[in-house]
Amino acid sequence: MNTPRREKARAATIDEIKHTALTHMREQGTVDIRFADIARAMEMTPPALYRYFADRDELLSALIADAYDDLGRCVAEARDAVPADDVGGRFMAVAGSYRQWARQDPQRFALILGMPLPGYAAPVDGPTTEAAQRAMSQLSSLFLEAQAQGVLGRPRLRDVHPAIAACAEQKHQQSGVPVSAETFQAMLHAWSSLHGFAALEAYGHFDWITEEGRDALFDGHARLTAETAGLPAPRTL
């Protein structure tokens, strides 16, 4: 059955509202939005926007979920372009894609992985949480692949605080996939390490280094992160 014209028009307006909100964020260099600004840009009245989003938080939740989904898609495409038996190469592809996504769209990067938005609280177990889990699982899946293939080594750092071990056990209970506390900690170290580099670069803190220099620095950083976490060296670049 074809989608009724009214539903198509509503979906198109929702897309336009989200696009307008993102454009405003990029132009203003902020991740905060106001219905009044969006309505003015779309030549609508602010009350008209409430027909599509209950409030600002609902719009922000939609933008955050979209951003996580886009990040997850980009990372997954980069990973799957490398043979499955080259886990090290897949990690480098995922790391590079994460970095590139942050560089190309620093406002959306800030929206999902920057400072918490004033007055905004994401719905518990809502679309933002589900989208975040889908996106970030792209990195953790590489450790599971390496483990399944028998190529995952022990991480360099093996002392695990009981609080982290408890988190690892909780994740194990939720997923049913056994991962040692050492490896769970290594996953967190790997993500925080890659994120730190991506954030520094996305917000201009590495601008004093040439682009060629930044590429080389990141390549070494990602390789060191993988080696420290127990992942194998890449066979492909």
Side-chain angles (χ1 to χ4, degrees):
M1 179 182 298
N2 292 329
T3 303
R5 182 176 300 177
R6 182 178 300 175
E7 292 183 19
K8 287 184 178 180
R10 178 177 177 81
T13 302
I14 289 174
D15 286 343
E16 185 180 358
I17 292 171
K18 292 193 289 188
H19 175 75
T20 302
L22 286 174
T23 299
H24 177 78
M25 287 181 181
R26 290 163 181 152
E27 290 177 348
Q28 301 299 318
T30 178
V31 293
D32 204 2
I33 52 176
R34 297 190 309 166
F35 269 20
D37 295 328
I38 299 171
R40 186 180 308 110
M42 294 180 63
E43 298 182 348
M44 298 172 64
T45 62
L49 294 181
Y50 288 96
R51 295 186 219 147
Y52 304 94
F53 292 97
D55 51 28
R56 182 203 71 149
D57 282 7
E58 187 175 68
L59 173 55
L60 283 171
S61 292
L63 294 174
I64 291 170
D66 285 352
Y68 270 123
D69 283 340
D70 189 47
L71 173 59
R73 176 187 58 79
C74 290
V75 168
E77 288 177 355
R79 179 199 62 202
D80 294 342
V82 179
D85 61 351
D86 183 10
V87 179
R90 284 160 78 87
F91 175 82
M92 294 298 291
V94 164
S97 180
Y98 187 95
R99 173 204 181 198
Q100 191 63 23
W101 193 87
R103 291 176 67 188
Q104 292 178 340
D105 207 340
Q107 292 309 132
R108 281 214 293 175
F109 185 66
L111 181 65
I112 61 175
L113 292 164
M115 292 288 291
L117 294 168
Y120 172 75
V124 178
D125 295 329
T128 57
T129 301
E130 295 170 0
Q133 291 172 343
R134 287 195 299 271
M136 305 320 294
S137 68
Q138 307 299 337
L139 179 61
S140 61
S141 68
L142 295 176
F143 286 84
L144 300 181
E145 289 177 17
Q147 180 172 272
Q149 294 176 26
V151 296
L152 180 65
R154 293 189 69 183
R156 187 76 59 83
L157 187 61
R158 298 168 187 173
D159 295 332
V160 182
H161 190 278
I164 301 300
C167 287
E169 178 60 26
Q170 182 181 28
K171 289 294 183 181
H172 177 198
Q173 295 297 329
Q174 293 173 349
S175 67
V177 180
V179 174
S180 71
E182 289 178 359
T183 294
F184 177 77
Q185 178 175 259
M187 291 181 186
L188 295 179
H189 285 160
W191 173 47
S192 58
S193 180
L194 293 175
H195 176 77
F197 189 105
L200 284 170
E201 185 178 38
Y203 304 133
H205 299 296
F206 280 156
D207 284 355
W208 56 278
I209 305 174
T210 65
E211 185 169 352
E212 183 179 27
R214 292 199 302 272
D215 288 345
L217 187 65
F218 180 78
D219 182 75
H221 181 78
R223 287 172 180 269
L224 179 61
T225 297
E227 179 182 332
T228 303
L231 292 171
R235 294 203 321 265
T236 59
L237 297 177

